[in-house]
Each structure stands twice: as C-alpha cells, then as structure tokens.
Amino acid sequence: MPHFNKKLRRPRDKISTSHLLEKGGARGFSSAGQEFLAALPSVLRERLARDWQAYTHTASGADIEPPTHPDLLNVLYRVWTYSEFVAQTCIRHPRLFADMLKSGDLLIDYAPGEYAHKLQSAVGNTKNPQDLGAALRHMRTREMLRIAWRDLAGWADLNETLSDLSALAEACIDAALGKLHAWQSKEIGIPKNAHGMAQAMVVIGMGKLGARELNFSSDIDLIFAYPEDGQTQGKRPCTSNMEYFVQLAQRLINALAEITPDGFVYRVDMRLRPFGDSGPLVLSFDALEDYYQNHGREWERYAMIKARVVAGDCAQGKLLLDNLRPFIYRRYLDFGAVESLRDMKQMIVREAQRRGLKDNIKLGQGGIREVEFIGQLFQLIRGGRDTRLQEPGILSVLEYLGQADYLPAQVTEQLSDAYIFLRKVENRLQEFSDEQTHSLPMDETERTRLALSMKYENWNAFQHALSQHTAYVHNHFVQIFTMPQLDSRPEAAQSSVPDLNAVWQGALDEAQAGELVNSAGFTDAPEALRVLSQLREGHHYRALSERGRRRMDKLMPLLVAAAGGAEHPDVTLMRLVNLIEAIAQRTAYLALLVENPLGLSQLVKLCAASPWISTLLTAHPLLLDELLDSRRLYAPLDRTGLDSELRQILLRIPEHDLEQQMDALRHFKQVHVLRVAAADTAGVLPLMIVSDHLSALAELILQHVLNFAWRHLTMRHGAPSCMLDGKRYTPGFAIVAYGKLGGIELGYGSDLDIVFLHNSEGEQQCTAGPKSIDNAVFFARLGQRIVHILNAHTPAGVLYEIDMRLRPSGASGLLVSSLESFADYQTTQAWTWEHQALVRARVVAEQGDNNITARFNELRIGILQRRRDANTLRAEVHDMRERMRTALSAREPGRFDLKQDAGGIADIEFMVQYDALLWAHAHPELLTYTDNIRQLQSLADAKLMDAADVQLLSDAYRTYRAAVHRCALQDEPACVEEDKFRDYRDGVIRIWQDLLEWEKLHDNG
C-alpha cells in the first residue's frame, strides 16, 4: 500500500476555510458536524476542504455521486481529518469507496472466515503472478480503508481492529501461497516425501501476526517450513523439496513485498527464522526441531511464544508447533528467563536512549513492549507447568495472571487498560498515512489531530492520560523485574593457592583471595572476586569446549593483572568481563588476546578509558583485530585514505551482493569510529579534528550507499532522463546534510539529519531502461533503498540512524523532493527555524547531474539572503529557542546541560543562525561555511560582532563540544556540574541577552 504523503496541488483561491460548512456537498449537515469542523484548527479545516474538493472532482469524473447523508458526512469529516490515508484512498479510488458504501461493508462486523472468502474470490481467476499481485494489492487497499474507517469512526473496538488486521494479512498470505503453489507444482512437479505423499509449505506467523495483534502498518514476521524431504514428481527432472519450497517462498515474499505501481501488500521480515538472515529461507520439520533443540537461544523462546500457523498445511503446522513447545516452555520453574528478559529490555532501553525515542509508545519507558515483557516473563517462567499461560495474546495472559493471583487484580487491570490505550494510539499514529511509526508527533497540528482522534479535547488532556498509563506500566515493570525471588545467581566457589591463577580458579579462601586482589591494584576486592566468580561459574564458561576452557584459564589471570594496573581497575574489570562473556564462544578471540600481549594491553587501556568503547568492542568483537596494530589504532585516516581503503574492501565483494556490501560498510564504519575514539581518548586528536574525521567518514559512507542504490535501480529500470530545452540529460540526486553533519561537527553516535533532492524537470521524465518508470518513482525508490541500507538491522548492526524530519512538510512530506518544490516550500511555507537549519545545510553526496550541488547552493543562498525584519526575526528565533529549551533541557538541579541549558551550545548556534539570517542580504560571505566556528569568524571579519565576543563564543563552543565528546565516551548524558564552565556560560548568556533579548534592535539596514 503506498503512503499518501504527496499533497494534491490545487489553487488556494478556490478553497476557503469555510468550504465544508457552506458547500462541500454536505446538504442538511448536522449541527454536531458543524461544531466539529468549527472547532478544528484552520490548518486541518483547510486540508479537509481541499480533500473534499479533490474527492468531489474525482468522483464526478468517475460518474459517482458523492455521499450526502448528514450522518455519514458527519463521520466522513472526522475520519478524513484523522487519516490522510483514508482521505487519499477515497480521492484516488472513488469507485472503491462507492463500493464500500453500496456493499455495506463499512457498517458490519465481518464473520469469521470472511477475509479468507473475499481473498479467495479476488485471486481465484488470476492467471499469473502479476495479476495475483494486483488483486492482492487492490484487496489490501479496500480492506485497510474499511479497517481504518471503522476504527477511527469508533465503530470497532481494539479487539476487532487487531483481529481484522491479522485476519486480512493471514488471508492474503494463504491466498497467495495457494495460487503460487498450484502454478509452481504444475510447472516443475509436485513435491513428495519418500513414500510418495504430497508435501505443502507451512507458514508460521510470528510476533503480532502470530498473536492476532497486528498493528495497522506493520511488517509481518514469518518462518517457512515443510514436513519432509523428498523430490518433485512431474514432467521436469526431479527437484529436491528444499529447492522447491525455497523457490516457492521467494515467490511468496515477492508477491507480498514487492513495490509495484499499486504499492505493496506487506513488508515481510524473515529474520526470526533459524540462523537469521544467514540461515536457509525454508527448513524441513526435522531441521527446525534440531535447530531449536541444539542452537535455540533465549530470545527465540521469547519469540516463539507468539508463533502460530497462518497459511499452508495448517494440520501439519500444528504438529510442528506442538513438537517445539518443550523448547519454549520448560517443565520446571525457569527463573533463568528473568536475566534474559532483563537483558533484552536493557538492550531496548539503550537503543531507545541512543535513538532518542523518549516519545516512542512502543519502546519508550512505560510503552507497549514493557507490558508485553511483564506477561511474557510469567509465561517463560511458569508456562511449562501452567498451560493456561501458553497463550499468545497478551490481554488474555494479563487477565489470567490476575485470576490466578500471580499478580494483583488491580495491577493486571491497569496494565490491560494501558495496553489497550497504547495500542489505540499506535494505530491512530499509523492510520494517519499508513506509515510504520511509534513516535508521538512533534508538530502542534499533528498533536491536535492525534488528541482528537483519541477523543480528547486537546493535546494536554491526551498527554495527561498517556502519562498516567505509561507511569503505571513502568512502575509495575520495575517492581516485577526487581523482585528478589526472581533473581538466582550462582555463588562464588572458594579454595586455596596464592597467585592470580588461583584467584581465577577460586582455589583460595576469601581472605587470601582478597589480599591478592588488593595487592594487584583493586580497591573493592569483594566486588572483583564476585565478578570473577560469576564469570567462572556462569554459563559462558561452562558452555566452552575443553580447549576453550584452557584458553580462558590462560587469559583470565593475564587480564586481571592488566586491569589491576589501570586507572580505574574495578570498573575496568567489570567492562572486560562483560566483553569476555560476549566473545567466550568464539574461542579464537580468546587465543588472540592470550597470544598478543599488546592487543590485551590496548584492550585494557581502551576499556579503562571509555565505557562507550568497551560497549562497541563487546557488540562487535571483530574489532578486536584492530588492537593488534597500535600504529593504525591511534592514527585515523583522512578522507582520501578512507576512500582508498573502502574501495579496496568493496572490490573484493561481488557487485550485486548487497548483503555483503551492507555488512562491509558497517564494519568499516565501526573500525574507523574505534580509531577516532582511541586517538581521542589518548589525547592525540583535538576536538575539531575528531568531528572532521567522523563527518568525513559519514560523508564517504553516504556516497557509497547512494552509489549502491543508484546502481541497483538503474540496472532494473535504466538511468533517469528528461528533455529540457530540446536536450536530453540525466537529472541528479543529492543527499543534503543538516545539523551536526551539515556543520561538520558530528559526534559519537550522532544521528544524520539528511534530506533527499533531485532536479528532474522538463518533458519525458522517465528512465531509459526496458522496465521504464517515471523519474519521480525512480527517485522515490532510490530514497527508500538508501534508507533501507542505512537503517536495516544486520548481524553487523545498523549503519546510521537517520532523521529526515527536516524535509519539506516534515515526516508527512515526500521522502524525496524536487529542487523546484524544495525552493517553493522554503520560499512560501518554511518556518524561520527551517531557515535556521538551512544555514548549516550542504550537499554531502550526489549522483547523476553534477550541477545539482551548484543549483542547491544557489537556491540556499537565495533563500537565506532574503531581507528580514529584525524584530520579527528576533522574536521567532527567541521563541523557538525557549521552546526547545523547555522540551529538551535536562533541568537537573546542580547540573548544566551543555546542549540545552542557558549559556550552552544551542544558544551559540541560535545566535550564529540569527545573525546569518539578519545580515546575509548585505554580507553573503556569512553563508560560505556551514560550521559554527567559521561562521563566527565571518561575523567578526564583517564587523557584525565584537571580536572579543566572537573569541569567547568560539572558545566556549569548542570547550562545550569537547566536554560533550567526553561525556559520550563515558556513556554519560551531556551534563556537567553547574559551576564547571561558569565563566563561559555567563559570557554566552550576556551576549545572548544583548543580541536577542534587547527590546530595541538596530535597524538591519
């Protein structure tokens, strides 16, 4: 299903804000409807007016009479206000909407099996995969319109909405599988086992689909299996059953996930299958059972709780899941599941913190995931004994936990109410434009829309209710996951032999061991002994082979001795043990550290210096190889060196192997970020050079990502081209960086603020290949592929987190904009803060027409050189800064938030941007650079700011950013003691007050 972010362009003078109340086809419209429209913000009223006008136009063109019944219109206006997806679907498909009204499907609850019946009818006469794909996409569009409408109109409760979403997905999968299996078996033969019995594929739904809790714009997590090995029997030579079903699975995925002009049916995620992305796409039942018995991990037990057969041979699939049940649910009380779930939750918390997901209703504090963790904790611990807990649906589990007194009834009621509320919010967020999002909107209008869709008068009322629910959830989560009876850790063993080897082996009594540990340099001997004992007695050590244990026994005394000599030995030992646990099963790494004292020394040095580096090494043990050459480790490459090294790496990878290329980019980034961090902690890189290296690395990677995506699409569709002034040319595509990357000031773990632009214009705008597509489609797909390469989770992690909210119209805007529309938006619609952001914007990667960078630069300068009223500009900049400070400042008593508190980094950046916007019309040289330091120097050179003030701001900015880097390397928030930089802070505040809080500004000329 395509996302409807593209706004229909119509002359503004044909649409009035009172259009709906006066005209709009709403004859006899009810007073309740008028009150609703009148209470809407003007922006929503105007958008609704334009949508209604567009609908009446397309309906008229299709010879369809728009609805006029007051009650229906009352609902229509509400639903369209809450969902751009519904409105645009009705506009683009007026016949589909008319069919919905005529059939009465909008008004009724579907009976069980209705979706299966509808899908079988829809695909029954299809003759080929193309027809099948079109039929599936048409039905998906129709039924998602129905589901969203009924939810937003209040005609369906949450259970019906989630059930319908799940049943629709299940029916689409089963209908597609049935057709594809029939066609393929006719083509290459019927797969049979050794006894000649026909075999059919089983599709297992995981996650929300398996639990019948699918959200509105969700991926579907699937696992494919078949009962028995064998061969096909037919006209063609025999094919193994595995080959047959792999081909069938690939065709099924393509039928569902391929993006066509009709959109897609579902994004398919296969990463939950055995061995993840590196594993076979389909396995036999025996192979699956063997995998879970011998290789299954704790998180896979957690995932399999929700497993359910959703398509194919359901009877055989049920037998398979029955056989896998002992893997999921232990016969004994499995308190070992607590630590695994805690670890999983902590990973989610860290990820949410790293990505700034404070307002994420799924992963944030008190969000959906915490409710699920509570239920699944009890399922994993007690589900083997209490089969009533072997239930995929979380609400059923919570209800039973209260009934069985596992939790107080009041707690389960609060958790259930919160879960229902949060899932409704999730669907409302996604129903707006059929986008997979869980983040609360930042835009005031979108917040109002969300609040109204949740039946609240305003955002404050909605947020108050949301805060109550999340507070309840998180409070219960913390209490449940810290219950002492859930914690079962092995105790240390003790004996006697006086050396560090004996300490590691636990062969000394407590006093002897403590004395040796203290003499080795540790200050908290009991804690150090506990850490070592926990590792020695833990499963990481016990699971090792005999050779692995020998390597560990040889390494640990060396590691303890090295850690004891570090600056902070106790915390260093803890970090090192965490890392050893992560790499224990890869005993080659243990040997590497044993056989390379320099590598071990560098490891201890880096872990002592920075928990951030320790975490990086723990997450990506491949980086341990970098410790063997200290000359390279502490000497980061410049842009030329980086480019040369990356090209050599990529030359060794097949050009079409995107998976290997993605992993190579991730490892390359991790290696060079490690080198920068190592040099930084060693004090051999000044602040500006640290950011230069990190920025150059990001730019280089973005260029290669663009190259990969461009090559992939041009091979399929040809290069984009167009006719302009009688000449054919290849339009360009640019990645524009804003924020820290735009200002060449990237830090550790920084997101990338980027925008995609193209300069296709003129006539015949289409690609030149055999599968020609419109240039706009080409560039949209190019942007989507870039986002996928950057954001996809692979075994090597995520390449970069990206933020594209600075594109025209923010998160609701097109993923890729033309230069023309970008210029129009910046000229006619952009807010002052968006022009502030443009001060730091620059092209960092391009393809196609090389002139696109020059055109963007001209456009940027032209927009920023507009003459502005000083008082208006001051007020807008000042107001935005206050709003940002209120929203983002840590506000900790006795602490100074380096970024957001008064006198901090953001104040300096805002002053520079204010002056640039105020004076650029007379001093274009202010726009030459995008980084704050050189922009400040430009202000001094132009005598627009006192030289002493420029020096103070520059020094403060460098000092603050250096402190931010140090905080990042220590895994700490960017806060320091309140008096840490008092002189700089006071100076920045003084200049801020002089510049932006002075009531009478000089005329800006």
Side-chain angles (χ1 to χ4, degrees):
M1 184 66 224
H3 300 317
F4 296 113
N5 291 330
K6 187 173 183 180
K7 303 296 185 294
L8 298 176
R9 301 293 184 184
R10 292 178 296 279
R12 289 182 178 274
D13 58 4
K14 291 186 179 181
I15 304 169
S16 69
T17 58
S18 60
H19 175 81
L20 301 178
L21 294 174
E22 298 173 356
K23 302 175 183 178
R27 296 186 295 272
F29 194 62
S30 67
S31 59
Q34 293 183 15
E35 291 173 3
F36 169 73
L37 292 170
L40 283 178
S42 60
V43 173
L44 293 180
R45 238 181 5 253
E46 290 171 1
R47 183 178 298 174
L48 187 55
R50 291 195 298 270
D51 287 343
W52 179 256
Q53 185 181 29
Y55 168 70
T56 56
H57 176 73
T58 57
S60 175
D63 199 25
I64 292 170
E65 183 69 24
T68 59
H69 193 284
D71 291 340
L72 176 59
L73 286 171
N74 187 9
V75 176
L76 182 149
Y77 285 93
R78 292 175 184 272
V79 172
W80 283 21
T81 297
Y82 304 151
S83 174
E84 186 76 3
F85 160 75
V86 171
Q88 293 298 324
T89 301
C90 294
I91 292 167
R92 296 186 182 194
H93 306 284
R95 291 189 184 279
L96 184 152
F97 181 48
D99 172 65
M100 275 285 187
L101 296 175
K102 182 178 179 181
S103 67
D105 282 355
L106 280 180
L107 302 174
I108 62 173
D109 300 347
Y110 279 175
E114 182 68 19
Y115 277 114
H117 172 73
K118 285 181 177 292
L119 263 296
Q120 292 298 336
S121 298
V123 307
N125 295 323
T126 56
K127 304 298 183 183
N128 54 58
Q130 291 73 29
D131 291 343
L132 173 65
L136 289 171
R137 284 153 180 78
H138 174 79
M139 284 301 296
R140 197 264 188 186
T141 299
R142 182 185 193 277
E143 298 305 324
M144 292 294 273
L145 169 64
R146 172 188 172 273
I147 292 169
W149 184 293
R150 288 181 56 76
D151 181 37
L152 294 167
W155 296 349
D157 61 17
L158 178 68
N159 181 62
E160 179 187 325
T161 301
L162 300 184
S163 296
D164 277 2
L165 289 167
S166 304
L168 173 61
E170 186 173 344
C172 287
I173 298 167
D174 195 51
L177 177 61
K179 294 294 290 187
L180 293 169
H181 180 50
W183 290 334
Q184 184 169 308
S185 61
K186 185 176 181 180
E187 174 188 352
I188 63 177
I190 299 171
K192 296 186 177 182
N193 65 8
H195 304 291
M197 297 178 63
Q199 304 289 290
M201 193 162 79
V202 171
V203 181
I204 300 172
M206 307 291 285
K208 294 290 193 297
L209 175 60
R212 294 187 175 90
E213 297 168 344
L214 203 64
N215 47 291
F216 189 82
S217 185
S218 176
D219 296 353
I220 51 174
D221 297 281
L222 303 178
I223 292 177
F224 298 140
Y226 61 95
E228 295 181 69
D229 286 321
Q231 293 182 323
T232 60
Q233 296 182 16
K235 297 179 181 179
R236 291 191 179 185
C238 294
T239 298
S240 73
N241 283 359
M242 184 170 188
E243 290 175 306
Y244 178 94
F245 287 114
V246 166
Q247 184 175 341
L248 180 60
Q250 291 169 338
R251 289 178 172 179
L252 176 60
I253 292 171
N254 288 337
L256 297 172
E258 184 180 19
I259 300 175
T260 74
D262 297 317
F264 61 90
V265 188
Y266 291 100
R267 295 173 293 266
V268 178
D269 192 333
M270 299 295 300
R271 289 175 295 175
L272 292 180
R273 71 184 189 270
F275 301 110
D277 285 340
S278 63
L281 195 59
V282 189
L283 286 174
S284 69
F285 285 9
D286 284 344
L288 267 175
E289 292 175 32
D290 178 75
Y291 170 83
Y292 287 114
Q293 180 178 346
N294 296 306
H295 305 286
R297 291 158 289 182
E298 285 297 315
W299 70 262
E300 288 175 298
R301 290 181 59 207
Y302 165 86
M304 289 296 291
I305 286 175
K306 295 181 179 292
R308 179 175 63 90
V309 179
V310 296
D313 192 335
C314 293
Q316 288 291 325
K318 184 179 184 303
L319 291 176
L320 170 65
L321 292 182
D322 287 342
N323 290 338
L324 293 178
R325 200 167 299 278
F327 163 71
I328 308 168
Y329 301 105
R330 307 293 197 228
R331 294 181 180 178
Y332 49 86
L333 294 180
D334 183 21
F335 287 101
V338 180
E339 183 176 354
S340 298
L341 285 175
R342 279 179 179 152
D343 291 344
M344 288 179 65
K345 174 56 183 173
Q346 286 305 311
M347 288 172 61
I348 293 170
V349 168
R350 287 194 295 270
E351 179 71 3
Q353 291 173 343
R354 185 177 66 82
R355 295 170 57 188
L357 301 181
K358 180 181 178 182
D359 293 325
N360 188 293
I361 61 165
K362 178 181 178 181
L363 303 179
Q365 186 170 290
I368 294 168
R369 186 57 57 84
E370 288 192 352
V371 180
E372 294 173 334
F373 267 52
I374 291 170
Q376 286 153 356
L377 171 66
F378 287 91
Q379 288 180 280
L380 290 177
I381 292 175
R382 300 181 178 274
R385 288 190 176 182
D386 190 340
T387 58
R388 288 283 302 274
L389 288 169
Q390 296 181 13
E391 162 64 44
I394 185 63
L395 288 175
S396 298
V397 170
L398 291 174
E399 181 180 9
Y400 179 67
L401 289 175
Q403 293 173 353
D405 289 329
Y406 288 130
L407 286 174
Q410 181 183 3
V411 170
T412 59
E413 288 172 7
Q414 289 178 345
L415 290 172
S416 297
D417 290 345
Y419 182 81
I420 292 169
F421 182 92
L422 291 167
R423 291 304 306 274
K424 284 183 178 179
V425 175
E426 177 186 48
N427 277 336
R428 302 297 158 82
L429 287 171
Q430 297 181 357
E431 284 163 350
F432 171 59
S433 59
D434 193 13
E435 288 185 340
Q436 190 178 25
T437 180
H438 295 89
S439 296
L440 296 173
M442 302 303 293
D443 177 77
E444 184 175 343
T445 300
E446 303 307 321
R447 287 181 165 186
T448 300
R449 183 203 306 274
L450 176 60
L452 292 174
S453 73
M454 288 294 293
K455 311 304 180 189
Y456 290 90
E457 293 181 359
N458 53 53
W459 175 257
N460 288 338
F462 164 78
Q463 193 172 43
H464 176 71
L466 174 65
S467 298
Q468 281 190 320
H469 284 301
T470 55
Y472 283 140
V473 170
H474 189 64
N475 179 57
H476 296 319
F477 177 86
V478 169
Q479 292 188 47
I480 290 168
F481 272 78
T482 55
M483 287 193 296
Q485 64 268 32
L486 296 181
D487 201 356
S488 56
R489 303 177 188 174
E491 296 297 328
Q494 296 143 1
S495 273
S496 58
V497 178
D499 58 14
L500 287 178
N501 183 60
V503 171
W504 161 246
Q505 295 293 343
L508 304 176
D509 63 31
E510 187 174 354
Q512 290 175 311
E515 183 177 348
L516 279 171
V517 167
N518 281 331
S519 65
F522 295 90
T523 58
D524 189 347
E527 177 63 13
L529 291 173
R530 187 195 67 80
V531 169
L532 295 173
S533 175
Q534 186 171 317
L535 174 61
R536 185 181 65 252
E537 300 298 328
H539 70 276
H540 296 286
Y541 181 78
R542 294 200 306 270
L544 290 172
S545 64
E546 183 178 349
R547 184 168 66 170
R549 289 193 182 191
R550 287 199 304 268
R551 288 178 176 176
M552 180 81 88
D553 290 342
K554 191 172 182 180
L555 171 63
M556 288 309 298
L558 299 173
L559 184 142
V560 173
E567 185 176 355
H568 303 290
D570 300 277
V571 70
T572 300
L573 179 63
M574 176 65 76
R575 295 169 187 169
L576 289 167
V577 167
N578 289 339
L579 185 145
I580 295 300
E581 288 180 341
I583 68 172
Q585 298 307 311
R586 305 177 190 183
T587 59
Y589 289 129
L590 302 179
L592 179 151
L593 294 173
V594 168
E595 301 298 332
N596 294 276
L598 178 60
L600 178 60
S601 173
Q602 297 302 330
L603 174 63
V604 172
K605 180 179 179 180
L606 292 174
C607 288
S610 167
W612 187 89
I613 295 178
S614 173
T615 300
L616 180 66
L617 291 169
T618 301
H620 307 290
L622 280 172
L623 296 176
L624 292 175
D625 291 345
E626 295 299 311
L627 306 180
L628 305 182
D629 187 348
S630 59
R631 294 170 300 175
R632 293 201 313 166
L633 180 62
Y634 296 99
L637 297 176
D638 59 15
R639 174 64 184 263
T640 302
L642 288 170
D643 191 30
S644 175
E645 183 171 304
L646 182 54
R647 288 182 185 277
Q648 291 299 316
I649 292 171
L650 294 176
L651 282 174
R652 299 192 290 267
I653 300 174
E655 190 176 67
H656 308 306
D657 193 338
L658 180 61
E659 184 175 344
Q660 276 199 59
Q661 291 168 340
M662 289 168 63
D663 281 342
L665 285 179
R666 282 156 173 75
H667 183 60
F668 178 81
K669 177 205 170 184
Q670 292 154 7
V671 164
H672 289 283
V673 169
L674 173 63
R675 292 183 188 177
V676 172
D680 192 2
T681 58
V684 298
L685 282 184
L687 161 72
M688 304 301 288
I689 304 302
V690 169
S691 291
D692 286 349
H693 280 292
L694 295 174
S695 299
L697 178 62
E699 289 178 46
L700 177 64
I701 289 175
L702 285 173
Q703 183 63 63
H704 279 276
V705 169
L706 174 54
N707 294 346
F708 294 159
W710 182 277
R711 184 166 60 239
H712 170 80
L713 285 172
T714 54
M715 287 181 64
R716 296 186 64 184
H717 303 291
S721 67
C722 50
M723 295 290 293
L724 188 64
D725 298 329
K727 296 181 180 179
R728 183 168 296 280
Y729 81 104
T730 300
F733 182 96
I735 301 178
V736 179
Y738 284 72
K740 291 291 185 287
L741 180 57
I744 321 175
E745 298 166 355
L746 213 60
Y748 300 108
S750 293
D751 290 353
L752 304 184
D753 295 283
I754 55 177
V755 168
F756 299 147
L757 299 175
H758 71 81
N759 64 344
S760 178
E761 56 186 334
E763 301 175 340
Q764 300 179 30
Q765 297 187 45
C766 59
T767 61
K771 296 181 179 179
S772 179
I773 56 175
D774 186 83
N775 283 353
V777 176
F778 176 92
F779 288 120
R781 292 181 182 178
L782 182 65
Q784 290 167 350
R785 195 158 188 84
I786 292 169
V787 171
H788 167 72
I789 295 173
L790 292 171
N791 272 356
H793 288 264
T794 76
V798 171
L799 190 52
Y800 280 104
E801 296 293 343
I802 60 173
D803 189 337
M804 300 197 65
R805 289 174 294 178
L806 286 172
R807 67 184 188 266
S809 300
S812 63
L814 290 172
L815 183 66
V816 183
S817 300
S818 69
L819 275 176
E820 182 181 6
S821 63
F822 181 81
D824 177 70
Y825 176 86
Q826 291 288 343
T827 303
T828 63
Q829 300 180 53
W831 296 81
T832 296
W833 66 263
E834 291 176 285
H835 288 172
Q836 289 179 244
L838 196 60
V839 171
R840 293 162 64 82
R842 62 190 179 94
V843 174
V844 293
E846 62 177 13
Q847 261 288 2
D849 179 17
N850 293 332
N851 192 43
I852 191 169
T853 297
R855 291 187 59 187
F856 171 80
N857 291 338
E858 292 172 2
L859 185 157
R860 170 180 173 268
I861 291 171
I863 292 168
L864 296 180
Q865 280 189 308
R866 289 165 49 188
R867 186 184 294 270
R868 302 166 194 269
D869 176 75
N871 287 312
T872 301
L873 179 63
R874 176 194 62 81
E876 291 175 343
V877 172
H878 185 276
D879 179 62
M880 177 52 67
R881 179 68 193 101
E882 288 302 310
R883 289 167 61 189
M884 180 187 292
R885 182 179 291 117
T886 300
L888 301 177
S889 175
R891 294 190 295 274
E892 293 184 48
R895 305 283 288 174
F896 171 41
D897 185 325
L898 290 160
K899 295 179 180 180
Q900 297 300 335
D901 279 349
I905 288 173
D907 282 358
I908 299 173
E909 292 173 344
F910 268 56
M911 285 189 281
V912 171
Q913 292 158 14
Y914 168 80
D915 271 334
L917 293 176
L918 181 63
W919 296 108
H921 72 279
H923 297 275
E925 67 273 16
L926 298 179
L927 305 177
T928 302
Y929 302 109
T930 58
D931 60 286
N932 276 280
I933 296 299
R934 287 187 291 185
Q935 287 172 340
L936 278 166
Q937 187 58 49
S938 297
L939 289 171
D941 294 343
K943 302 189 184 309
L944 297 173
M945 184 178 286
D946 182 77
D949 286 347
V950 166
Q951 187 64 51
L952 186 148
L953 292 175
S954 299
D955 291 345
Y957 195 74
R958 292 189 186 96
T959 302
Y960 290 163
R961 286 188 52 224
V964 170
H965 281 321
R966 288 194 296 272
C967 290
L969 288 174
Q970 296 304 317
D971 268 350
E972 295 175 352
C975 294
V976 296
E977 294 297 326
E978 191 169 35
D979 293 325
K980 176 78 172 177
F981 303 118
R982 174 58 67 185
D983 291 342
Y984 282 137
R985 188 179 181 188
D986 289 343
V988 174
I989 291 173
R990 173 185 58 78
I991 299 170
W992 171 272
Q993 291 173 339
D994 291 343
L995 190 64
L996 286 161
E997 295 187 3
W998 185 23
E999 293 297 326
K1000 296 181 179 179
L1001 292 176
H1002 292 296
D1003 186 356
N1004 69 343

